[in-house]
Amino acid sequence: MPSSEAWWRDAVIYQIYPRSFADSDGDGMGDLPGITARLPQLRRLGVDAVWLSPFYPSPQHDAGYDVADYRGVDPRFGSLGDADKLITTAHELGLKIIVDLVPNHTSSDHVWFQAALNAEPGSPERERYIFRDGKGAGGNEPPNSWQSVFGGSAWERLPGGQWFLHLFDVSQPDLNWDHPEVRAEFLDILRFWLDRGVDGFRVDVAHGLIKDADLTDWTSPATVLGGLEPAGPPPPMWDQEGVHEIYRQWRAVLDGYPGGRILVAEAWVQPEERLARYVRPDEMHQAFNFPYLETPWKPAELRAVIDSSLAANSSVGATTTWVLSNHDVVRHASRLGFPIGEPRKPGIGADDPQPDTGLGLRRARAATLLMLALPGSAYLYQGEELGLPEHTTLADEYREDPAWERSGHAEKGRDGCRVPIPWEADAPSYGFGPTDASWLPQPAVWSEYALDRQVDVPGSTYELYRSALAARREHALGSGVLTWSDTSEKVLSFRNGDLLALTNFGAEPVGLPSGARVLLTSEPLDADGRVPSDVTVWAVV
């Protein structure tokens, strides 16, 4: 396991979505004691660190990303004592713990916002958020044209009074990061969790804290998940210069603690050169590589984004990260089962075109093996080691993602990738908890993917992940150097140290170099020892 101050540079970090990982008390909601009990399985899998999505007190209008108290634990998930035990147990197992921090907005239930609602315009309480008078007769029109990422206006009016900004759900008012009290509060929050032993923070919407001072109108569709033009100035609500001063202050706090504490940016920023500015030596340590996640299953385009990612991060001395799935996107075992390059709205519903499940898993296994051979740090999302697909037939009545309602049901939302994961095929809730309760219904097919159906089963997706993580560590791939081999328009092939990674994107099998000793394959080779379509091979040459 990594032991140096720079453990994060080549780490494999596993994302846990607490609601859906493990339920200890049978109420249908995952919790911190459930996570703690399952940590040995993650140690056996071979990851280096665990990132926890929010577990703070929250009304749960956006699955915990609407935080009411940054120094507590929601009773649904346990207590501060449970958090302390989780951190201690993880460290005893050699695992690092990263927690989510949501600084762009609070919950509307937060004590600060409740005070703002009861205060007058221009009061100190309202200055912590972004309140403005409206336009038009009687101030009846929003202050500007900004739209919420979840659909509709980004402004909500108080009865007969001012408007407040919410770039996400109406229950998530944006903080005013030009206010010194906001900055001081979050420095204290960082210290609170660092003192409890956490090893780092994943920073939600890291590119959104500072807004254009003039709140300039912006008429393009609102999105935080990419899609913005890389050329030209950033939108007035994203990637403003002032965010970098904030993260320099945060970095100074973390550098005062031992053990290599880290900051990880969720920053949907284009191009990669602008994203790299978040990971300069005095700012954050890592940033999620969303351009890589969004790249279609095409060798030339994958090679291009790998090259540009490595070059941009190298220019500031940072490590590159790689990711294929998380709690905000369609799981890659389903995403890769659609025709290559086919545009779709977020989420998949029962009435939408369905992915090819077999093809999706085949490509997902190949994509994972390709990703884990790259130098840098890799992020895994809970359940992908089981080959879990998206829940594409979730009944609309169960949907909780605010994007579902705010988009007028045009977007299915993110619930399909957040369904509780299966541990035991024949247990209640497939081992998620001790009862059949599950906050989102699990599909019957989950039994086929349960962990106990895959452990020690040659060729299972779980054993592929476990073998790949062990070989990745043995061959020091995370700290290696990539060198491209001879490739064609249908093959992607590179060396990292003594390992050759080759992925066949074409329809016909391809041969391996003479004398290659195969270490691992995402699917079996053909009878002649050639690499079939949509298969990745690791070999020593």
Side-chain angles (χ1 to χ4, degrees):
M1 308 298 287
S3 58
S4 71
E5 291 286 309
W7 62 270
W8 44 273
R9 294 189 69 88
D10 60 353
V12 176
I13 300 171
Y14 185 99
Q15 180 190 358
I16 287 179
Y17 192 70
R19 281 177 159 225
S20 301
F21 190 69
D23 169 21
S24 70
D25 58 12
D27 66 354
M29 184 76 70
D31 49 44
L32 299 188
I35 295 169
T36 301
R38 294 289 187 179
L39 288 177
Q41 278 96 333
L42 298 185
R43 182 66 180 87
R44 184 179 187 273
L45 178 63
V47 300
D48 303 308
V50 173
W51 151 37
L52 299 172
S53 291
F55 50 75
Y56 310 107
S58 165
Q60 300 290 320
H61 294 305
D62 186 23
Y65 283 91
D66 48 327
V67 180
D69 177 4
Y70 291 86
R71 296 178 182 85
V73 173
D74 194 294
R76 298 174 180 88
F77 302 130
S79 65
L80 271 176
D82 292 324
D84 292 337
K85 183 176 181 180
L86 189 157
I87 295 166
T88 299
T89 302
H91 289 166
E92 290 172 349
L93 291 168
L95 295 169
K96 305 284 188 180
I97 291 292
I98 297 169
V99 298
D100 232 309
L101 190 63
V102 187
N104 179 72
H105 46 263
T106 71
S107 165
S108 55
D109 283 7
H110 193 282
V111 63
W112 276 8
F113 193 72
Q114 289 298 307
L117 292 179
N118 294 317
E120 296 298 320
S123 64
E125 290 83 1
R126 289 203 176 181
E127 288 300 312
R128 297 168 177 154
Y129 294 89
I130 301 176
F131 280 86
R132 293 291 187 274
D133 293 329
K135 293 181 178 180
N140 291 329
E141 299 176 12
N144 67 21
S145 60
W146 293 5
Q147 297 293 297
S148 164
V149 171
F150 292 157
S153 174
W155 295 93
E156 181 75 7
R157 194 183 191 191
L158 301 181
Q162 287 188 310
W163 301 71
F164 67 87
L165 179 69
H166 60 93
L167 289 177
F168 294 88
D169 190 60
V170 67
S171 65
Q172 296 167 296
D174 282 53
L175 286 162
N176 172 18
W177 273 89
D178 291 319
H179 196 300
E181 191 174 351
V182 173
R183 298 196 181 204
E185 171 72 357
F186 275 84
L187 291 174
D188 191 71
I189 291 167
L190 290 174
R191 295 187 182 99
F192 177 86
W193 288 104
L194 291 167
D195 289 342
R196 301 191 91 89
V198 303
D199 300 289
F201 302 89
R202 175 266 192 186
V203 183
D204 187 64
V205 196
H207 59 309
L209 276 56
I210 298 294
K211 279 70 174 176
D212 172 74
D214 296 327
L215 297 180
T216 306
D217 275 332
W218 182 259
T219 57
S220 297
T223 174
V224 72
L225 304 180
L228 301 174
E229 292 297 327
M237 70 289 292
W238 305 134
D239 195 27
Q240 301 295 300
E241 287 301 307
V243 298
H244 299 288
E245 178 187 349
I246 295 168
Y247 299 135
R248 291 187 188 99
Q249 293 175 336
W250 289 16
R251 177 64 177 263
V253 170
L254 267 68
D255 284 350
Y257 285 79
R261 316 295 177 96
I262 71 168
L263 294 167
V264 182
E266 184 215 26
W268 295 84
V269 174
Q270 297 181 34
E272 284 99 326
E273 289 76 15
R274 285 197 69 84
L275 180 60
R277 299 170 76 246
Y278 287 75
V279 290
R280 290 177 288 194
D282 61 345
E283 295 189 43
M284 295 199 172
H285 300 78
Q286 293 185 340
F288 290 142
N289 191 340
F290 295 125
Y292 181 77
L293 182 153
E294 294 182 320
T295 301
W297 188 241
K298 297 180 179 180
E301 295 188 34
L302 282 166
R303 175 168 177 166
V305 75
I306 290 168
D307 280 340
S308 60
S309 298
L310 290 170
N313 285 283
S314 177
S315 71
V316 295
T319 191
T320 302
T321 67
W322 312 102
V323 61
L324 290 169
S325 284
N326 62 36
H327 67 292
D328 282 329
V329 301
V330 172
R331 286 182 175 274
H332 67 285
S334 292
R335 193 171 71 242
L336 294 174
F338 285 101
I340 296 170
E342 179 182 88
R344 292 181 304 100
K345 293 180 179 179
I348 304 171
D351 54 346
D352 294 324
Q354 296 293 299
D356 182 325
T357 303
L359 178 62
L361 181 56
R362 182 182 184 89
R363 286 176 174 168
R365 288 163 58 103
T368 296
L369 213 54
L370 188 162
M371 179 186 78
L372 292 176
L374 295 168
S377 178
Y379 281 78
L380 309 179
Y381 178 49
Q382 66 177 39
E384 71 170 83
E385 76 278 13
L386 306 176
L388 284 189
E390 190 87 350
H391 187 353
T392 62
T393 58
L394 181 69
D396 291 344
E397 64 190 273
Y398 295 110
R399 298 190 183 279
E400 295 196 7
D401 189 343
W404 165 246
E405 291 294 344
R406 291 191 63 86
S407 69
H409 300 176
E411 293 186 10
K412 294 297 183 182
R414 300 161 292 177
D415 295 307
C417 68
R418 299 174 173 185
V419 176
I421 64 174
W423 295 92
E424 302 165 32
D426 299 320
S429 64
Y430 303 111
F432 167 63
T435 70
D436 286 320
S438 174
W439 74 278
L440 283 176
Q442 301 161 294
V445 73
W446 249 218
S447 63
E448 301 174 16
Y449 297 93
L451 177 64
D452 68 347
R453 291 278 179 93
Q454 299 196 45
V455 170
D456 295 328
V457 176
S460 70
T461 302
Y462 172 80
E463 292 299 341
L464 175 67
Y465 269 74
R466 200 165 74 90
S467 298
L469 293 177
R472 186 180 190 273
R473 180 174 293 107
E474 178 184 352
H475 293 267
L477 301 181
S479 57
V481 176
L482 182 148
T483 303
W484 293 107
S485 302
D486 293 335
T487 61
S488 71
E489 62 180 13
K490 297 180 180 179
V491 173
L492 196 63
S493 177
F494 60 86
R495 293 175 186 266
N496 184 350
D498 65 346
L499 184 133
L500 171 74
L502 183 150
T503 303
N504 180 13
F505 295 81
E508 300 299 323
V510 297
L512 289 167
S514 177
R517 177 170 62 87
V518 174
L519 293 180
L520 200 58
T521 64
S522 61
E523 300 288 347
L525 302 182
D526 71 7
D528 297 321
R530 296 177 300 175
V531 183
S533 176
D534 294 318
V535 171
T536 296
V537 174
W538 287 4
V540 174
V541 180

